[in-house]
Amino acid sequence: HRELGDVNWLRNYDHAVAEAKSNGKPILILFQEIPGCSGCVEFGQDTLRHPVIVEAIENNFVPLAIRNNSRSGHDHEILKRFNEPSWNFQVMRFVDTNGKDIIPRKDRIWTPSATARRIVAALQAADRQVPDKLFTHDW
């Protein structure tokens, strides 16, 4: 899906939790409209295709994508679990294996540079090493 960019996303919350427990990484949950509006597609094609962002997500988190426009099934259950609104703009949540936010939820983060700042904040809060590229890249 164009809204998901180049990140290799898991699509099942329980699988993401199991992987995170196995490898010790936090979980990054993308709540995204799929198929999405032009802003959702733009986020996927710009921010989620930026090589520094993709590398940072895949190397430091267990990436999980949840459709925020699903009216039933697994995605809808996870929306309710995290109290995420349906048909909302995309939101990235950084959580531990208990589903607890590592940093506070924040929406309206759309650019590569703003996303990089959130990734840095989440890694620092989780007491994990932050890749130098996130600090040194000319955004």
Side-chain angles (χ1 to χ4, degrees):
H1 297 279
R2 298 177 306 152
E3 299 83 357
L4 298 178
D6 291 340
V7 177
N8 291 311
W9 301 96
L10 294 178
R11 297 283 294 119
N12 180 284
Y13 179 77
D14 295 328
H15 294 162
V17 169
E19 185 172 324
K21 285 180 178 179
S22 172
N23 65 26
K25 294 179 182 178
I27 303 166
L28 187 161
I29 307 174
L30 170 66
F31 292 94
Q32 175 71 299
E33 190 179 302
I34 304 167
C37 65
S38 62
C40 296
V41 171
E42 184 178 333
F43 180 74
Q45 293 299 293
D46 181 29
T47 299
L48 296 179
R49 291 188 74 202
H50 192 290
V52 174
I53 298 297
V54 172
E55 181 180 339
I57 290 172
E58 290 184 343
N59 290 344
N60 296 282
F61 299 94
V62 174
L64 171 66
I66 299 294
R67 292 177 56 200
N68 71 8
N69 55 345
S70 186
R71 297 178 195 261
S72 62
H74 175 264
D75 287 352
H76 185 72
E77 290 173 20
I78 302 306
L79 275 176
K80 289 186 345 187
R81 179 183 289 184
F82 284 91
N83 199 28
E84 281 293 331
S86 296
W87 296 92
N88 192 31
F89 291 111
Q90 63 276 353
V91 172
M92 295 176 105
R93 303 265 302 258
F94 301 86
V95 303
D96 64 19
T97 57
N98 295 314
K100 183 177 181 237
D101 285 304
I102 296 169
I103 57 175
R105 179 197 184 279
K106 185 171 172 81
D107 57 11
R108 302 184 184 268
I109 304 296
W110 296 321
T111 65
S113 60
T115 300
R117 287 190 297 274
R118 294 288 291 169
I119 290 171
V120 168
L123 290 172
Q124 289 173 334
D127 199 27
R128 300 192 50 94
Q129 186 172 348
V130 178
D132 289 338
K133 285 183 185 180
L134 291 173
F135 293 116
T136 60
H137 187 74
D138 183 20
W139 299 105

XYZ file of all heavy atoms in Angstrom, residues 9 11 14 16 22 36 39-41 46 63 71 86 92 100 112 119 130 135-136:
154
model
N 6.185 -3.583 7.481
C 5.296 -3.549 8.639
C 4.727 -4.926 8.954
O 4.326 -5.647 8.045
C 4.122 -2.607 8.379
C 4.501 -1.204 8.094
C 4.645 -0.634 6.861
C 4.797 -0.188 9.053
N 5.006 0.689 6.998
C 5.114 0.994 8.332
C 4.828 -0.161 10.442
C 5.438 2.184 8.965
C 5.159 1.032 11.071
C 5.457 2.181 10.338
N 1.460 -6.812 10.638
C 0.051 -6.412 10.578
C -0.778 -7.002 11.717
O -1.984 -6.861 11.742
C -0.536 -6.828 9.228
C 0.116 -6.141 8.042
C -0.338 -4.705 7.838
N -1.736 -4.714 7.484
C -2.691 -4.129 8.206
N -2.409 -3.472 9.306
N -3.947 -4.198 7.832
N -0.463 -8.986 18.220
C 0.097 -10.066 19.048
C 1.434 -10.553 18.502
O 2.352 -10.849 19.273
C -0.890 -11.229 19.165
C -2.159 -10.829 19.916
O -2.071 -9.964 20.818
O -3.237 -11.359 19.584
N 3.525 -8.682 16.830
C 4.484 -7.603 17.121
C 4.942 -7.671 18.569
O 6.139 -7.515 18.856
C 3.855 -6.244 16.816
N 10.875 -10.973 22.150
C 11.991 -11.805 21.723
C 13.262 -10.988 21.480
O 14.357 -11.422 21.841
C 11.599 -12.556 20.443
O 12.694 -13.221 19.892
N -6.009 5.455 1.750
C -6.040 6.719 2.459
C -6.235 7.938 1.585
O -6.147 7.891 0.369
N -3.245 13.093 1.946
C -2.248 13.321 2.993
C -1.644 12.029 3.505
O -0.439 11.970 3.798
N -2.460 10.976 3.606
C -1.961 9.666 4.051
C -1.015 9.072 3.016
O 0.026 8.515 3.359
C -3.130 8.723 4.316
S -4.204 9.254 5.662
N -1.383 9.200 1.753
C -0.528 8.704 0.682
C 0.775 9.501 0.652
O 1.865 8.920 0.528
C -1.255 8.769 -0.685
C -0.294 8.456 -1.822
C -2.439 7.819 -0.704
N 6.467 9.988 1.105
C 7.542 10.921 1.445
C 8.263 10.439 2.713
O 9.357 9.897 2.641
C 6.958 12.327 1.638
C 8.013 13.370 1.965
O 9.174 13.212 1.536
O 7.678 14.359 2.640
N 8.018 -2.706 13.770
C 7.016 -1.861 13.124
C 5.697 -2.607 12.888
O 5.674 -3.717 12.366
C 7.670 -1.479 11.794
C 8.749 -2.477 11.558
C 9.066 -3.132 12.866
N -13.637 -1.125 10.207
C -14.847 -1.106 11.039
C -15.048 -2.399 11.832
O -15.962 -2.486 12.650
C -16.063 -0.847 10.173
C -16.023 0.498 9.496
C -17.228 0.689 8.602
N -17.031 1.791 7.697
C -17.518 2.993 7.896
N -18.216 3.252 8.962
N -17.299 3.949 7.017
N -11.159 6.540 14.641
C -11.238 6.019 13.277
C -11.158 7.158 12.281
O -11.534 8.289 12.582
C -12.556 5.272 13.067
O -12.626 4.151 13.899
N 1.735 7.841 14.785
C 2.732 6.839 15.158
C 2.813 6.811 16.678
O 3.044 7.843 17.305
C 4.096 7.186 14.573
C 4.124 7.157 13.061
S 5.718 7.689 12.424
C 6.361 6.115 11.931
N 2.103 0.132 26.727
C 2.233 1.429 27.393
C 3.065 2.364 26.518
O 4.128 1.987 26.025
C 2.901 1.246 28.749
C 3.013 2.528 29.533
C 3.611 2.288 30.909
C 3.664 3.601 31.640
N 4.963 3.971 32.085
N 9.560 14.082 7.442
C 10.688 13.244 7.869
C 11.411 13.819 9.090
O 11.753 13.076 10.020
C 11.599 13.204 6.638
C 10.673 13.402 5.483
C 9.637 14.369 5.988
N 11.259 9.677 16.771
C 12.034 8.443 16.901
C 13.149 8.626 17.920
O 13.357 7.771 18.790
C 12.583 8.001 15.520
C 11.439 7.521 14.623
C 13.644 6.918 15.683
C 11.842 7.282 13.180
N 20.645 5.801 20.013
C 20.053 6.531 18.890
C 21.049 6.541 17.739
O 22.207 6.921 17.927
C 19.706 7.977 19.299
C 19.139 8.742 18.117
C 18.732 7.987 20.468
N 20.717 12.354 13.985
C 21.204 13.652 14.442
C 21.941 14.417 13.337
O 21.872 15.635 13.277
C 22.181 13.494 15.616
C 21.549 12.971 16.872
C 21.926 11.745 17.390
C 20.588 13.700 17.545
C 21.362 11.264 18.556
C 20.008 13.232 18.715
C 20.401 12.002 19.216
N 22.639 13.687 12.500
C 23.532 14.330 11.547
C 22.925 14.565 10.167
O 23.485 15.314 9.376
C 24.832 13.502 11.366
O 24.485 12.202 10.871
C 25.567 13.376 12.687
